[in-house]
Amino acid sequence: ATADTAATSLDVSYTDSGLIGFTISGKASDVKPVAQKGIEALKSAASGQISAEALSRAKKAAIVAADSKFYGNADQTINEVAKQVLASGKYQTSAEIATAISGVTADDVAKVAKLAVSSKPSVVAYGNLQLLPYADEL
């Protein structure tokens, strides 16, 4: 990211498929180089270049994010439980989710990243589109 442009990870999981990527918001002139850096990071992960420190930080962040869905307000907790039940017929406690996240290995991350980089990318944009890259330019 740059001073005027931010990148945020995106993960939408389903039982049999999913969508991973990142969203970029900011100056149109910064989008292409930021997107290219994101693609480079994904390719690096796909090739197994994942440090133990980065994986540990990511796991901790994921556990905190999962916990916040259960320990936020009551509406948020009910919403999270309902989503899980509707998606899988059951729900996992925050401790069960933390255990599952803790079990993720660098090989697991590389496997998902390989699937992502081997898939056809999609680009969705709004705003000043004149400077934005096409998917095949990334």
Side-chain angles (χ1 to χ4, degrees):
T2 68
D4 298 319
T5 304
T8 307
S9 63
L10 167 72
D11 168 39
V12 181
S13 299
Y14 302 100
T15 56
D16 60 346
S17 66
L19 173 68
I20 65 168
F22 44 88
T23 60
I24 301 168
S25 59
K27 290 175 54 177
S29 60
D30 290 344
V31 171
K32 185 174 182 177
V34 170
Q36 288 172 326
K37 285 185 180 185
I39 297 292
E40 288 171 16
L42 195 56
K43 286 179 179 179
S44 177
S47 68
Q49 297 176 13
I50 304 163
S51 73
E53 181 183 331
L55 181 60
S56 178
R57 271 194 324 266
K59 286 183 191 183
K60 288 175 185 174
I63 290 169
V64 169
D67 275 350
S68 71
K69 291 179 181 178
F70 283 96
Y71 300 113
N73 61 46
D75 288 341
Q76 191 175 8
T77 302
I78 291 168
N79 188 30
E80 180 61 24
V81 171
K83 278 196 247 178
Q84 288 187 32
V85 171
L86 289 171
S88 66
K90 60 180 182 150
Y91 88 96
Q92 293 180 305
T93 65
S94 63
E96 291 169 325
I97 292 171
T99 299
I101 292 169
S102 295
V104 172
T105 66
D107 288 341
D108 295 330
V109 174
K111 181 179 174 183
V112 172
K114 282 179 191 174
L115 285 170
V117 298
S118 67
S119 300
K120 184 177 178 181
S122 297
V123 174
V124 178
Y126 69 92
N128 179 358
L129 305 180
Q130 293 177 357
L131 299 174
L132 299 181
Y134 292 99
D136 61 355
E137 295 177 331
L138 300 172

